[in-house]
Amino acid sequence: YHATYEVTTKLIKRGKKKTLFMYDSDSFSARPKMAGYDAALSEAGYPVRGDLKFKTKNNIEYTRDLLLTYKNLEFDSVVATEDGIAIGALKYAKIRGISVPDELSISGYNDSILAVGCDPELTSVDSKLAVLCKTTIDHMIKLLGNGEEIESYVSVPCNVVKRCTTDF
């Protein structure tokens, strides 16, 4: 929630008015991401438009081709829930001759190896997977080892890694 809220808010502050939200599932993880996007738009006084929410596959070529099928779709930024989706949007921009980040800002999620393996390098949310895994293992050891009580909710803050596909 907080990471997509932060990214969407930063895009809005840079003058973006039509942010496309692209996601690949309706999972426990994806729902709060969409809620953060919705909240940032609402807080800025922008409508939450269903035509700017696209469910796609976490597949670069599939996402690129999906976007290419739309002739009149207008958007000036993309918030994607996976880096592969964001890179599909980046490839779409290249084919359409759209300058990134001047005309189109793009942000991914998970700060995967894909984020630094594309050109330009992708702004992406680091979900702190290593910290999440370590925290989970530590809690499991406490619980299973001696029945020690553990926290019922643990939050690991994400970090937006700014690269070349956004201008914030």
Side-chain angles (χ1 to χ4, degrees), residues 52-149:
L52 288 178
K53 291 182 182 180
F54 277 37
K55 189 171 185 180
T56 185
K57 295 179 182 177
N58 184 14
N59 178 287
I60 295 167
E61 293 81 13
Y62 183 89
T63 300
R64 175 202 63 207
D65 294 346
L66 174 68
L67 289 172
L68 287 170
T69 63
Y70 290 88
K71 304 300 179 203
N72 297 316
L73 181 64
E74 292 182 29
F75 56 98
D76 55 16
S77 50
V78 174
V79 173
T81 61
E82 298 287 343
D83 288 342
I85 296 170
I87 294 170
L90 185 60
K91 291 193 174 281
Y92 158 85
K94 184 172 183 173
I95 290 169
R96 290 288 166 108
I98 300 169
S99 174
V100 175
D102 300 326
E103 297 175 89
L104 179 66
S105 291
I106 302 171
S107 179
Y109 207 98
N110 288 327
D111 198 31
S112 69
I113 191 70
L114 294 174
V116 293
C118 62
D119 186 30
E121 290 186 3
L122 180 68
T123 295
S124 184
V125 173
D126 178 359
S127 57
K128 306 284 180 139
L129 184 59
V131 174
L132 286 169
C133 290
K134 181 176 181 343
T135 302
T136 300
I137 298 295
D138 289 348
H139 279 76
M140 288 175 60
I141 290 169
K142 284 180 185 177
L143 183 65
L144 298 173
N146 58 8
E148 196 175 323
E149 193 169 315

Side-chain angles (χ1 to χ4, degrees), residues 3-23 33-42 44-55 67 73-81 85-86 89 92 101 103-108 123 125 165-168:
T4 53
Y5 174 87
E6 179 183 346
V7 168
T8 306
T9 298
K10 286 181 178 198
L11 291 169
I12 291 167
K13 287 181 179 178
R14 293 296 299 156
K16 304 302 182 182
K17 298 188 183 312
K18 296 179 181 174
T19 300
L20 179 63
F21 182 81
M22 300 190 78
Y23 62 105
K33 292 173 187 172
M34 187 181 295
Y37 163 83
D38 290 350
L41 291 177
S42 294
Y46 292 170
V48 178
R49 298 173 40 187
D51 62 331
L52 288 178
K53 291 182 182 180
F54 277 37
K55 189 171 185 180
L67 289 172
L73 181 64
E74 292 182 29
F75 56 98
D76 55 16
S77 50
V78 174
V79 173
T81 61
I85 296 170
Y92 158 85
E103 297 175 89
L104 179 66
S105 291
I106 302 171
S107 179
T123 295
V125 173
T165 58
T166 57
D167 61 358
F168 55 72

